[in-house]
C-alpha cells in the first residue's frame, strides 16, 4: 500500500497531507437483530443503561424486519428509511450497520464511510459488556475495508492554526475534531485550504486515487 505525504507552509500554518487506506483483518459477518440486541447504553461510559420500553423494542424490531425484507429485495432507499426509524426508536449497532450497507448500495460512499466508522465505535463499546456485538463490530470493520478500495481518502494534519482557522477539503468545511483523521474524498483533484481571518489562505491541490 503506497502512502504519499505532501507538506506546505505559509506564515500562518503548515499542513501535512497523506492519502492512506484503512486496513482491517476482520471477516465480514452479517449482523442479526433480536429484540434484546436493540438495547443501547446512553450517556457517558459506565453510566447505567437506559432500558427501552417493551413497546419501543417492538416498534424498533418491526421497523428493522421491514428494512431487512426491503434490503433483500434491493429496495435500498426505502430500506434505509426503516433502518433509520428502527435506530431512532432504539439505537443499535446492528440497525446502524444496515444503514451503512444501504448507503453503499445507493452509491453514497462518503456517507457510508462515516456510518461504518460510527458503527465500529458503538459496537466496540457495547462489545465490552455484550460480546454478541463482536460480530457486528468485525463486520463493520471488514466492510469498511472493502469500501476503502472504492474511494479515495486523505488525512490532513494541521499545525500553527489559530482560533477562527477553518480547514476545507474540496470546498467542504472539516470539523476540528476530524483534523488529522482519515477523510473520504472523491478520486481526482481536490483542493485543501486553511483559512484564517486577516491572512491569505494556505492552499494545496492534491491528486487522489481510489484505494489510496
Amino acid at each position: 500500500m503506497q502512502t504519499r505525504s505532501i507538506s506546505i507552509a505559509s506564515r500562518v500554518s503548515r499542513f501535512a497531507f497523506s492519502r492512506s487506506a484503512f486496513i482491517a483483518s476482520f471477516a465480514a459477518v452479517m449482523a442479526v437483530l433480536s429484540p434484546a440486541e436493540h438495547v443501547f447504553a446512553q450517556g457517558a461510559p459506565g453510566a447505567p443503561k437506559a432500558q427501552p420500553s417493551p413497546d419501543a423494542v417492538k416498534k424498533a424490531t418491526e421497523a428493522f424486519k421491514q428494512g431487512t425484507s426491503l434490503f433483500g429485495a434491493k429496495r435500498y432507499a426505502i430500506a434505509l428509511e426503516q433502518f433509520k426509524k428502527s435506530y431512532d426508536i432504539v439505537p443499535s449497532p446492528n440497525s446502524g450497520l444496515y444503514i451503512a450497507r444501504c448507503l453503499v448500495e445507493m452509491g453514497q460512499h462518503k456517507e457510508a464511510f462515516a456510518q461504518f466508522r460510527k458503527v465500529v465505535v458503538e459496537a466496540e463499546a457495547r462489545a465490552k459488556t455484550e460480546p454478541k456485538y463482536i460480530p457486528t463490530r468485525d463486520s463493520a470493520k471488514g466492510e469498511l475495508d472493502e469500501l476503502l478500495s472504492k474511494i479515495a481518502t486523505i488525512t490532513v494534519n494541521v499545525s500553527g492554526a489559530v482560533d477562527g482557522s477553518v480547514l476545507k477539503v474540496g470546498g467542504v468545511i472539516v470539523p476540528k475534531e476530524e483534523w488529522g483523521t482519515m477523510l473520504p474524498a472523491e478520486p481526482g483533484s481536490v483542493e485543501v485550504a486553511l483559512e484564517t481571518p486577516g491572512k491569505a489562505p494556505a492552499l494545496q491541490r492534491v491528486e487522489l486515487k481510489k484505494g489510496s
Side-chain angles (χ1 to χ4, degrees), residues 185-197:
E186 294 296 333
S189 179
V190 61
E191 182 179 82
V192 180
L194 182 65
E195 301 176 354
T196 299

Side-chain angles (χ1 to χ4, degrees), residues 21-172:
F22 179 88
I23 301 176
S25 60
F26 299 97
V29 180
M30 293 296 286
V32 179
L33 185 73
S34 69
E37 288 177 313
H38 268 299
V39 181
F40 184 74
Q42 301 287 350
K49 293 182 179 180
Q51 297 291 338
S53 68
D55 184 59
V57 170
K58 180 180 179 181
K59 290 180 179 179
T61 303
E62 289 176 351
F64 184 88
K65 289 180 177 179
Q66 291 181 23
T68 53
S69 177
L70 291 164
F71 187 89
K74 299 184 178 182
R75 301 176 64 184
Y76 302 118
I78 304 177
L80 177 61
E81 295 177 2
Q82 291 300 315
F83 290 128
K84 285 183 175 180
K85 179 180 178 181
S86 178
Y87 187 91
D88 288 343
I89 297 171
V90 183
S92 164
N94 291 331
S95 52
L97 178 59
Y98 271 96
I99 289 173
R101 288 171 173 168
C102 286
L103 292 170
V104 169
E105 295 295 344
M106 295 168 65
Q108 298 180 26
H109 293 157
K110 290 196 289 186
E111 293 81 357
F113 175 91
Q115 181 64 24
F116 274 128
R117 291 212 302 189
K118 177 182 177 182
V119 174
V120 170
V121 172
E122 292 183 355
E124 182 72 39
R126 297 287 297 276
K128 292 178 180 178
T129 55
E130 300 172 271
K132 62 191 174 187
Y133 285 112
I134 292 175
T136 306
R137 178 202 64 193
D138 292 353
S139 181
K141 286 183 176 180
E143 291 176 47
L144 176 59
D145 187 33
E146 293 178 10
L147 176 62
L148 286 169
S149 67
K150 304 175 183 178
I151 64 174
T153 60
I154 183 170
T155 300
V156 184
N157 297 308
V158 181
S159 62
V162 300
D163 289 343
S165 293
V166 176
L167 176 65
K168 294 182 179 179
V169 176
V172 178

